[in-house]
Amino acid sequence: MQLRTRLSLEYCTVLLESCIQSKSLFQGKLIHQHLLKCLHRTQETNLTNFDVPFEKLVDFYIACNELKIARHVFDKRPHRPKNVVLWNLLIRAYAWNGPYEEAIDLYYKMLGYGITPNRFTFPFVLKACSALKEVSEGREIHFDIKRLRLESNVYVSTALVDFYAKCGCLDDAKEVFDKMHKRDVVAWNSMISGFSLHEGSYDEVARLLVQMQYDVSPNSSTIVGVLPAVAQVNSLRHGKEIHGFCVRRGFVGDVVVGTGILDVYGKCQCIDYARRIFDMMGIVKNEVTWSAMVGAYVVCDFMREALELFCQLLMLKDDGIVLSAVTLATVIQVCANLTDLSMGSCLHCFAIKSGFVLDLMVGNTLLSMYAKCGIINGAMRFFNEMDLRDAVSFTAIISGYVQNGNSEEGLCMFLEMQLSGINPEKATLASVLPACAHLAALHYGSCSHCYAIVCGFTADTMICNALIDMYAKCGKIDTARKVFDRMHKRGIVSWNTMIIAYGIHGIGLEALLLFDNMQSEGLKPDDVTFICLISACSHSGLVADGKYWFNAMTQDFGIIPRMEHYACMVDLLSRAGLFKEVHSFIEKMPLEPDVRVWGALLSACRVYKNVELGEQVSKKIQKLGPESTGNFVLLSNMYSAVGRWDDAAQVRITQKEQGFEKSPGCSWIEISGVVHTFVGGGYRSHPQLAQISNKLDELLVEMKRLGYQTESSCVFQDVEEEEKERVLLYHSEKLAIAFGILSLSPDKPILVTKNLRVCGDCHTAIKFISLVTKRDITVRDASRFHHFNDGICNCGDFW
C-alpha cells in the first residue's frame, strides 16, 4: 500500500510538470483532488513523501495565475514548508501580480519559520516594497541583506538600487550603486530608469548614460529608461541624438523604444516627426503606441486629430488592440478641451459598456468634461454615483462649480471634501482660492493660506499667484504684497497679478512703480502686463502715464496692441471726459472696434450725461450685437438720469425682446466665516431685517444732518421723490454695510462686495456713513475697490 502510494505521488509529480508546461488548469485540479484523497487514505505517520508533489502543485497554480489557490495549498501543506525555492516562487508571484503586502508578509513569515532567504528572495520582496513605496520596510530588508552578507551580489544590489530609486531615495540608490564592485547592464538600467522617474534629475540621468558607456554597452532597455527624462525637459536636440543612436543600433524596431521616441517628439511639439515615427512602426504598434500618439496630438493642441485617431483605434479592437483606461481618459479630456459634449457623452456610454467607468481616472476625467461643458448638474450627479472618490474627484467638481460661476457651492464642496477625510492638493487650492476671491471670503482664503504653508504649497508659483489675487480681491492689498515679496520665484503672471491688484484698488502710482521694479529685475513685460498697467492708470486717472505706456508698448517693447489694449485706452480717455480725443483714437484704430470698445465709451457717456453721443454709440453696439445686459442698462439709465422715461422704458422693452435679463443688484459681506447676501430691496428676507431697517433710518438722519442729499437721478423709475429716497436707502450695498455695523465691533473694518458698479448716490452715502460711524469701509464693485475713510473715497470720485 505504501509502495503504491509512493508510486502514485511520483506519477502525480510528473503529471504536474506536464500541466505546468501546458497550463492545463482542469487536469491540474484533478491531480489536486487525487493528492488529497491519497493524503486522506494514507496510514503513514511520516508524510514527507507528500512534500514534493504539493510543492509542485503550488508551482502549478502560480503558473496558471491562480494565486489564491496556490496560497491555500501552500498554507495547508502536510508539513511546514522549508524549501526556500517554494517561498521564493510565492513571494515572486505576489511581487509581480499583487497584493504586494502579501509578498512582504510572506517574507517575514519565512523568517519566523527560521528559513534563511537567499539571493533570489530579496529582488522579489524589494520589488513589492517599491510598488508600495514602503521605504521603512525596504530599509529593514536592506539590513537583513547586510546581515547575510549578500550586498556584494550583483542581483541583490541591483534590486536595492531599483527600490531606492523608485521610492525617491536617490542618495541611497547612488550610495548602493557606487559600492557595487561589478555592474552589469541591468544595474545601470535600474539606476538610469529610477532617476528618470523623478523631476529635476535629467542632468544626473545624462551623466549616468555617459558613464555607462565606459563600462557596458547600452541596450534597448537603457533607451526606454532615458527617454522619459528627455521628454520631461522637452530636449529636442538630445531626443534626436538618441533617435539616431537607436537607428544605428537597430533599436527602432522595438515597439517600446519606438513609442518612447514618439512620445519625446510629441512632448517637444514636433507633431510631424511623431506622426512619421507612428506611421513607420506599421503593424508592430500596440495600444501604448496609439495612446502615445493620441497624447502627442493633445500636447500639440491638435484636438480634432486626436479624436480621429481614437476612432481609428476603436475600429482596430477586433485586431487584438486592447483599449486602456489611460487612452480613454485622454480622449475624454480632449472632449473637455473642445467642450464637445456630444462626443463626451458617447464616450461616457462607451465607458459604462466597457466597464471603464469604474476606473477612478476615467471617472475623474468625465467629471472634468461635464464641468467644462457647463453641465455642472450632470457632473454632480455622476460625482454622487461614484463608488470611489479621491482628491482629484473633489478638485474636478470644485473647479467646475467655480468656473461656472457657483463659487458658494464650490466652497461647500471644499468643506465636504475635508469632512470626508480627503486632504486637498495643490490643484484643489488653485480652484478654491478663486472662489474665495470672488466671494471676498477672507476667512476661508486665510485658512487655505495656512494649509498651503503647512503642506509646503507656497513654494509653488501658481498657488502664490492665486493667493495674491485672493487677498487683493478681499481688500487686503498689503497682505497680497507681502505674499508677492516672499515668493521664492516670481513669473510674469505674478507681476501682472500684483499690478492689476494695485489697479483695481486705485493705487495706480504703486502699479507704475512695480512695473519699473519688474524691468529692473530683467523681466520682459508681455501683452497682458500692458493691459494691467493701462487699466491701473485708467482707475487712478493717470491719463498721461497711460498714453505714454500705450505708445511705448509698440515702440520700445515691440508688442502689437490687441483689442483689449484699445478698449483700455478708450476707457482711460472716456473716464477723463476727453470725448474728442476718444473719437479720434477710435477712428485711427487699425482694428474694427468691438462691443468692449464701444461699451467703455457708453459707460463714460452715462457718467457725463452725454446722451447724444451715447445714442450714437448704442446704435453701433446694436449693429454688432450686445454681449450682455450691461450696455442696455447703461443706455436706459442714461435716459432715466435726464428724465427721458419713455426712451428708458423702450430700451428695457427691447432688452427683454432680445432675451437679455438685467441682473439684480446683489451685495455680500463675510461675518465670522459666514457670507451674508443682500439683494436690492430684498432686505426683508434677512433674519435681522428689523435691526437693519432701524440702523439705516438712524444713519439717514445723521447723514442729512451733515448735508447729505439723495441723488434721485440714480433712481431709474418714474416715481415720487419720497419713494425714490426709500428705493435708494435699500440698495444692496447699504443693507450689507448696515448689517456690518451691527455685527462687527467698531474697530473692525467693513468689506462689502457688489456684483454691479456702485451707483452715484450709494457712493456719496457711504462717504457720509464712514464719517458718521468713524469706520473704514471698503466696497468692491464690478469695476474696482472703493476705500472710504472720514468721508473720503480713495477713487477721488473717479470710477
Side-chain angles (χ1 to χ4, degrees), residues 9-10 12-14 16-17 35 47-59 77-79 83 86:
L9 293 176
E10 289 174 2
C12 286
T13 304
V14 173
L16 282 169
E17 282 282 3
L35 285 172
L47 301 176
T48 54
N49 291 330
F50 286 88
D51 287 350
V52 175
F54 270 92
E55 287 175 6
K56 194 59 66 177
L57 192 61
V58 173
D59 192 9
R77 283 184 54 186
H79 283 105
N83 185 355
L86 190 62

Side-chain angles (χ1 to χ4, degrees), residues 9-222:
L9 293 176
E10 289 174 2
Y11 184 59
C12 286
T13 304
V14 173
L15 287 176
L16 282 169
E17 282 282 3
S18 175
C19 290
I20 290 171
Q21 297 298 321
S22 63
K23 292 187 173 59
S24 176
L25 187 61
F26 178 73
Q27 290 182 3
K29 285 186 175 181
L30 289 177
I31 297 167
H32 186 183
Q33 290 174 5
H34 178 70
L35 285 172
L36 291 174
K37 287 178 183 178
C38 290
L39 183 63
H40 182 68
R41 291 172 184 169
T42 185
Q43 302 295 320
E44 296 181 32
T45 54
N46 184 4
L47 301 176
T48 54
N49 291 330
F50 286 88
D51 287 350
V52 175
F54 270 92
E55 287 175 6
K56 194 59 66 177
L57 192 61
V58 173
D59 192 9
F60 160 72
Y61 279 123
I62 291 171
C64 292
N65 205 26
E66 294 287 345
L67 205 48
K68 287 184 179 179
I69 304 175
R71 181 61 183 271
H72 178 77
V73 174
F74 181 84
D75 291 338
K76 299 297 182 181
R77 283 184 54 186
H79 283 105
R80 181 182 298 167
K82 293 182 180 179
N83 185 355
V84 69
V85 175
L86 190 62
W87 287 89
N88 288 348
L89 281 172
L90 204 52
I91 291 172
R92 182 184 68 175
Y94 282 127
W96 280 98
N97 303 306
Y100 305 113
E101 296 89 345
E102 291 294 333
I104 300 170
D105 180 61
L106 209 56
Y107 170 77
Y108 284 114
K109 282 187 177 179
M110 177 183 179
L111 295 180
Y113 286 142
I115 299 169
T116 304
N118 62 15
R119 61 195 176 97
F120 298 108
T121 312
F122 292 109
F124 303 143
V125 72
L126 285 169
K127 180 178 175 60
C129 290
S130 65
L132 294 169
K133 299 291 188 287
E134 281 284 0
V135 178
S136 58
E137 297 284 1
R139 291 191 190 279
E140 285 188 27
I141 293 167
H142 189 178
F143 179 79
D144 291 340
I145 291 169
K146 289 179 179 179
R147 180 174 53 81
L148 295 170
R149 297 182 179 179
L150 288 172
E151 199 174 18
S152 60
N153 183 276
V154 65
Y155 302 112
V156 175
S157 295
T158 300
L160 278 169
V161 168
D162 184 69
F163 157 70
Y164 280 126
K166 284 180 178 174
C167 290
C169 304
L170 302 183
D171 291 336
D172 295 284
K174 195 172 184 305
E175 184 181 347
V176 174
F177 184 77
D178 290 342
K179 287 180 180 177
M180 292 176 69
H181 301 299
K182 182 184 178 183
R183 304 171 187 141
D184 60 7
V185 69
V186 179
W188 281 100
N189 288 350
S190 295
M191 192 70 175
I192 288 171
S193 61
F195 271 75
S196 186
L197 291 171
H198 304 284
E199 287 187 27
S201 301
Y202 176 70
D203 292 337
E204 184 64 22
V205 171
R207 186 186 66 80
L208 285 167
L209 183 61
V210 172
Q211 285 185 346
M212 176 185 184
Q213 295 176 69
Y214 290 106
D215 194 0
V216 294
S217 180
N219 60 14
S220 60
S221 297
T222 314

Side-chain angles (χ1 to χ4, degrees), residues 531-734:
I531 292 172
C532 299
L533 192 65
I534 297 167
S535 177
C537 292
S538 177
H539 284 303
S540 297
L542 303 173
V543 179
D545 291 287
K547 290 162 68 175
Y548 172 81
W549 286 113
F550 178 79
N551 294 323
M553 175 177 67
T554 304
Q555 296 170 6
D556 300 340
F557 297 94
I559 296 172
I560 297 174
R562 294 192 279 118
M563 189 64 75
E564 290 84 354
H565 297 98
Y566 288 109
C568 285
M569 277 301 295
V570 169
D571 185 60
L572 172 78
L573 298 170
S574 300
R575 283 171 186 266
L578 304 172
F579 290 110
K580 287 184 180 179
E581 193 170 343
V582 172
H583 185 267
S584 174
F585 180 84
I586 292 175
E587 282 190 337
K588 292 178 182 177
M589 278 177 58
L591 304 173
E592 190 67 31
D594 68 0
V595 174
R596 290 168 292 180
V597 173
W598 293 117
L601 181 54
L602 182 61
S603 179
C605 291
R606 182 192 68 83
V607 173
Y608 288 97
K609 298 181 182 177
N610 191 334
V611 179
E612 184 181 350
L613 180 59
E615 287 178 323
Q616 295 174 20
V617 171
S618 178
K619 288 176 183 176
K620 292 184 180 293
I621 291 173
Q622 290 302 314
K623 284 182 181 178
L624 292 171
E627 294 179 341
S628 64
T629 61
N631 295 315
F632 285 110
V633 173
L634 284 172
L635 184 61
S636 173
N637 291 353
M638 185 170 60
Y639 282 137
S640 298
V642 294
R644 291 172 58 175
W645 304 110
D646 292 340
D647 291 329
Q650 186 58 48
V651 171
R652 287 196 291 273
I653 291 168
T654 305
Q655 175 187 329
K656 287 182 180 178
E657 287 175 347
Q658 294 190 16
F660 291 96
E661 290 186 11
K662 180 182 180 295
S663 299
C666 177
S667 299
W668 54 92
I669 182 172
E670 184 190 53
I671 305 291
S672 301
V674 179
V675 177
H676 297 262
T677 306
F678 298 87
V679 178
Y683 67 98
R684 294 176 183 81
S685 61
H686 198 276
Q688 291 181 247
L689 64 95
Q691 297 95 311
I692 292 171
S693 180
N694 291 336
K695 176 54 69 174
L696 284 172
D697 289 335
E698 289 174 18
L699 289 170
L700 183 61
V701 171
E702 292 294 328
M703 287 155 52
K704 283 185 173 180
R705 190 175 297 158
L706 293 174
Y708 166 71
Q709 291 182 337
T710 56
E711 295 183 24
S712 57
S713 61
C714 293
V715 178
F716 306 118
Q717 292 89 33
D718 189 9
V719 293
E720 297 297 326
E721 287 298 315
E722 187 177 341
E723 180 62 24
K724 286 183 180 180
E725 182 178 280
R726 301 309 296 176
V727 170
L728 289 170
L729 186 62
Y730 293 120
H731 273 194
S732 63
E733 55 265 59
K734 292 193 182 91

Side-chain angles (χ1 to χ4, degrees), residues 294-295 297-304 306-307 329-341 344 365 368-373 403:
V294 170
Y297 275 130
V298 173
V299 168
C300 298
D301 203 27
F302 286 85
M303 300 299 172
R304 291 294 172 194
L307 278 180
T330 302
V331 179
I332 293 170
Q333 189 58 52
V334 170
C335 296
N337 294 342
L338 292 171
T339 59
D340 189 340
L341 181 61
T365 316
S368 177
M369 184 273 295
Y370 281 120
K372 286 184 178 178
C373 290
Q403 289 169 6

Side-chain angles (χ1 to χ4, degrees), residues 387-429:
D387 295 324
L388 184 64
R389 303 171 191 152
D390 63 0
V392 179
S393 315
F394 276 95
T395 300
I397 204 73
I398 291 167
S399 176
Y401 271 127
V402 176
Q403 289 169 6
N404 286 281
N406 300 318
S407 296
E408 200 165 350
E409 289 84 350
L411 276 184
C412 289
M413 283 304 302
F414 180 60
L415 294 176
E416 185 179 324
M417 176 184 185
Q418 292 173 298
L419 290 172
S420 65
I422 297 175
N423 293 325
E425 298 177 341
K426 275 193 287 190
T428 316
L429 290 188

